[in-house]
Amino acid sequence: MMKEKREYLLAYGFSGELLAALAAVTRKNNVGLQLVGDDGLDLLVEDLLLEDGTAFSYDVPLDSSYELGLEHLLFVNFSQDSLMNFIDRLKADGISVPYKAALTEHNRKWLLRDLIEANRKEHLFVQLYHASKNALNVAVKVYDESKDIPLLDAMGKLQQQIEAVEKEGEMTEDQEAERFEKLRLNYNELAARLNTLMSE
């Protein structure tokens, strides 16, 4: 029977206590950990992957400073279930990493720098989407009391952008940037009107 490929993480940007905590969780769960420094940013993801049977290394100095100033995890050889379970274990140990991805046939041909940037943008988009939905919920209550027409107008525009995002399938980078910008502008318009009304 063929041995399962071992699950491991390619971790960029980790140092100090966060690195120690991540290393502890990976060891406890028999997940490998391979640290990547700035010298890996401009390499293809597939060139950072390990040969089967390679020993995992923790070579990056713990006090290393990183160009991008963020942490990123790439999950290698994880099934969907084991990925979700492992993310739950990270959370249980107080480790939250907003920027992460699973290795795919598509992203293995990307530069690590580009993959991290795409994950960063995606995370911002998701945050803005949730903030927009929360702002709409608040706006509904404020409108019930104020019957403010500019607020109602701003609510309608933001609702349209949220629905457009929800209908959208796969987007090109340019489409995503344009959609993000429209959502951001409408969110800001609604937030500004809410602030005005709530401070009166």
Side-chain angles (χ1 to χ4, degrees):
M1 184 166 146
M2 202 178 106
K3 184 176 171 294
E4 285 290 309
K5 288 192 174 185
R6 187 169 172 202
E7 299 166 342
Y8 68 94
L9 307 176
L10 282 179
Y12 170 84
F14 287 81
S15 61
E17 288 179 14
L18 188 58
L19 175 56
L22 180 65
V25 178
T26 54
R27 280 195 199 101
K28 194 163 59 182
N29 292 285
N30 196 31
V31 168
L33 178 61
Q34 182 70 24
L35 300 178
V36 182
D38 285 343
D39 56 349
L41 285 174
D42 295 308
L43 295 175
L44 293 178
V45 167
E46 66 183 0
D47 292 336
L48 294 166
L49 301 177
L50 304 176
E51 297 286 324
D52 284 349
T54 307
F56 294 101
S57 99
Y58 297 80
D59 284 349
V60 178
L62 295 192
D63 59 352
S64 180
S65 64
Y66 292 93
E67 178 194 328
L68 298 185
L70 54 77
E71 295 87 29
H72 184 271
L73 288 176
L74 181 65
F75 296 88
V76 183
N77 297 332
F78 282 75
S79 68
Q80 187 65 32
D81 284 349
S82 65
L83 177 60
M84 299 324 277
N85 286 336
F86 188 71
I87 289 173
D88 286 344
R89 289 185 195 128
L90 287 174
K91 284 182 186 157
D93 281 38
I95 301 171
S96 171
V97 183
Y99 311 117
K100 52 188 171 288
L103 179 69
T104 65
E105 281 307 310
H106 177 59
N107 66 23
R108 66 188 297 132
K109 299 284 185 196
W110 292 22
L111 295 179
L112 179 62
R113 181 187 298 280
D114 294 342
L115 176 61
I116 292 174
E117 179 57 15
N119 288 156
R120 193 186 68 76
K121 285 181 179 165
E122 188 182 325
H123 179 69
L124 288 174
F125 204 152
V126 169
Q127 277 188 314
L128 178 61
Y129 170 76
H130 288 301
S132 297
K133 293 194 81 152
N134 290 339
L136 264 184
N137 288 336
V138 173
V140 166
K141 293 175 185 140
V142 172
Y143 178 75
D144 281 346
E145 291 179 16
S146 69
K147 302 293 185 234
D148 182 75
I149 297 304
L151 178 64
L152 185 63
D153 184 44
M155 287 164 65
K157 287 186 200 163
L158 184 58
Q159 182 64 40
Q160 270 185 323
Q161 290 307 320
I162 289 173
E163 286 171 6
V165 168
E166 289 171 346
K167 281 191 198 120
E168 209 68 76
E170 280 292 306
M171 290 184 269
T172 66
E173 201 172 316
D174 288 347
Q175 288 170 321
E176 197 168 286
E178 185 185 338
R179 181 68 63 217
F180 178 85
E181 191 53 22
K182 285 180 178 171
L183 187 62
R184 187 183 70 77
L185 290 171
N186 288 128
Y187 170 78
N188 288 346
E189 184 185 338
L190 179 70
R193 189 65 197 151
L194 272 177
N195 287 339
T196 302
L197 291 170
M198 291 168 84
S199 60
E200 282 172 359

